[in-house]
Amino acid sequence: QVQLIESGGGLVQAGDSVRLSCATSGRTFSSYYVGWFRQAPGKEREFVAAISWSSGNTYYADSVKGRFTISRDTAKNTVYLQTNSLKPEDTAVYYCAASSEFLGGPVYSSRRYSYWGQGTQVTVSS
């Protein structure tokens, strides 16, 4: 059974940093993208970042480029999202998700992701 378990969220102040973790299990993700999405109250889920497990190539939404960094630890089967210089508008539930690299569609589309975690809340106060 595939599992993606997020952790690391919490309540922080503007300008702070948080590292989110996504622990994966249940299958080999060597040919997968693992992505982070977020959803704020009343808004649609939006793409944040993604990483190719095999190549390490990374992809970012413009809104987080330069502030967030996605990385993976293949030995620990874990993907991280380092979030720096947090802003109140970064407040959301953050989800990690996994998508086979052999599926079509852009990496930023939530539709291509088959596996999802339960989410972790990040709240940034001003």
Side-chain angles (χ1 to χ4, degrees):
Q1 182 180 1
V2 174
Q3 282 193 309
L4 303 174
I5 300 177
E6 304 96 333
S7 61
L11 173 62
V12 298
Q13 294 187 332
D16 284 351
S17 299
V18 166
R19 189 177 78 159
L20 306 181
S21 300
C22 174
T24 70
S25 64
R27 67 162 301 128
T28 301
F29 285 89
S30 58
S31 297
Y32 273 69
Y33 292 108
V34 177
W36 285 94
F37 291 77
R38 66 186 182 186
Q39 188 166 20
K43 294 187 177 182
E44 294 187 354
R45 189 171 299 188
E46 65 173 358
F47 170 77
V48 176
I51 188 167
S52 164
W53 197 274
S54 57
S55 68
N57 289 340
T58 57
Y59 310 83
Y60 295 95
D62 288 342
S63 60
V64 306
K65 203 171 292 184
R67 298 189 298 125
F68 291 10
T69 302
I70 189 171
S71 62
R72 77 210 190 294
D73 184 330
T74 55
K76 295 183 178 180
N77 293 323
T78 299
V79 172
Y80 303 99
L81 184 70
Q82 178 67 42
T83 67
N84 299 328
S85 303
L86 284 165
K87 306 174 183 179
E89 51 264 43
D90 293 318
T91 295
V93 177
Y94 284 71
Y95 299 89
C96 72
S99 167
S100 169
E101 293 185 0
F102 301 110
L103 294 178
V107 70
Y108 55 78
S109 173
S110 62
R111 296 179 183 180
R112 69 171 296 153
Y113 290 82
S114 305
Y115 304 108
W116 291 83
Q118 82 289 350
T120 185
Q121 176 73 47
V122 174
T123 303
V124 185
S125 64
S126 57

